[in-house]
């Protein structure tokens, strides 16, 4: 009789211990995970410059800078931008990534629009072109300009290059081109007739 009592007591204790262990596992909180959003620099191999003349013709032209195999490979293909003197153009910039090797550019412009508060596009007409071309950014992230849209004003005839730099400035954007990392920096040759 005593052995049966001991057997049932031992079995009861074992079951209570097992249920306690299971309940403890259920009650243990999941370890907190920290959400980290890594802002990687954009991979950009293609830049399209769309210019629309602000006159009755509303003539639109597209110019492309493309380096499909990235730095160190083949030379990029670069269109020359032709502009009329004493004119105003509306500009749209589009950025693409052809690094997947499938021959078509993945448009990353919408990602730049979504992260507008972290990006700034800088325009730098160089040499003699600086005296004949003025570029003004016309879009905003609500606090600072972005540069995906801009206005280009020409005066007299000239030639030169314009440097276009996409800056990635998470947490440091202040409206200037100094802070942050450079996602891409390209140059278009420009002829103003």
């Amino acid at each position: 009789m005593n052995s049966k009592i001991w057997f049932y007591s031992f079995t009861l204790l074992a079951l209570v211990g097992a249920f306690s262990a299971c309940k403890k596992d259920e009650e243990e909180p999941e370890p907190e995970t920290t959400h980290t959003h890594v802002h990687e620099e954009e991979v950009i191999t293609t830049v399209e410059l769309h210019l629309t003349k602000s006159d009755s013709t509303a003539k639109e032209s597209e110019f492309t800078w493309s380096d499909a195999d990235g730095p160190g490979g083949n030379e990029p293909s670069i269109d020359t931008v032709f502009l009329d003197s004493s004119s105003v153009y509306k500009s749209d910039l589009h950025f693409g990534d052809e690094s997947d090797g499938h021959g078509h550019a993945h448009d990353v412009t919408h990602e730049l629009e979504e992260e507008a508060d972290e990006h700034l596009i800088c325009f730098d007409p160089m040499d003699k072109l600086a005296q004949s071309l003025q570029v003004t950014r016309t879009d905003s992230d609500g606090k600072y300009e972005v540069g995906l849209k801009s206005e280009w004003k020409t005066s007299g005839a000239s030639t030169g290059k314009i440097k276009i730099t996409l800056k990635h400035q998470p947490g440091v954007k202040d409206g200037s081109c100094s802070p942050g990392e450079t996602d891409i920096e390209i140059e278009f040759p420009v002829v103003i007739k």
Side-chain angles (χ1 to χ4, degrees):
M1 183 75 177
N2 268 347
S3 65
K4 283 187 177 182
I5 291 173
W6 278 106
F7 173 76
Y8 289 123
S9 297
F10 178 75
T11 303
L12 182 61
L13 285 173
L15 287 174
V16 168
F19 283 121
S20 296
C22 289
K23 189 172 183 179
K24 184 176 180 182
D25 286 344
E26 291 171 5
E27 291 176 358
E28 285 185 15
E30 292 290 322
E32 286 189 34
T33 58
T34 304
H35 176 74
T36 56
H37 184 78
V38 177
H39 296 276
E40 298 176 0
E41 291 182 22
E42 311 299 336
V43 176
I44 296 169
T45 61
T46 305
V47 179
E48 293 178 4
L49 172 63
H50 298 259
L51 291 170
T52 304
K53 195 170 182 182
S54 298
D55 64 2
S56 59
T57 65
K59 180 182 173 188
E60 183 176 339
S61 302
E62 179 182 321
F63 307 95
T64 302
W65 181 99
S66 177
D67 190 9
D69 61 356
N74 296 321
E75 291 293 315
S77 65
I78 308 169
D79 292 339
T80 298
V81 178
F82 291 97
L83 302 172
D84 294 331
S85 61
S86 302
S87 299
V88 177
Y89 295 84
K90 301 289 183 194
S91 166
D92 285 294
L93 274 173
H94 296 268
F95 294 87
D97 174 14
E98 296 177 86
S99 64
D100 67 356
H102 292 106
H104 57 83
H106 166 67
D107 188 358
V108 297
T109 309
H110 68 281
E111 295 170 26
L112 301 177
E113 291 170 338
E114 290 174 0
E115 298 176 352
D117 61 334
E118 299 178 357
H119 290 92
L120 179 70
I121 300 166
C122 303
F123 300 91
D124 183 20
M126 300 185 293
D127 307 320
K128 295 178 183 176
L129 193 63
Q131 300 169 3
S132 302
L133 178 62
Q134 178 183 3
V135 179
T136 304
R137 293 181 288 262
T138 57
D139 55 351
S140 170
D141 65 7
K143 189 172 183 180
Y144 298 111
E145 298 171 341
V146 179
L148 290 170
K149 298 185 182 301
S150 59
E151 182 178 82
W152 294 40
K153 284 186 180 177
T154 63
S155 53
S158 182
T159 59
K161 290 184 178 181
I162 184 167
K163 184 190 305 180
I164 300 175
T165 307
L166 173 62
K167 298 291 291 194
H168 193 184
Q169 304 174 322
V172 295
K173 186 174 180 180
D174 64 0
S176 75
C177 296
S178 299
E181 301 293 324
T182 298
D183 280 340
I184 188 168
E185 184 174 275
I186 65 165
E187 294 177 1
F188 277 107
V190 178
V191 175
I192 301 175
K193 296 182 183 175

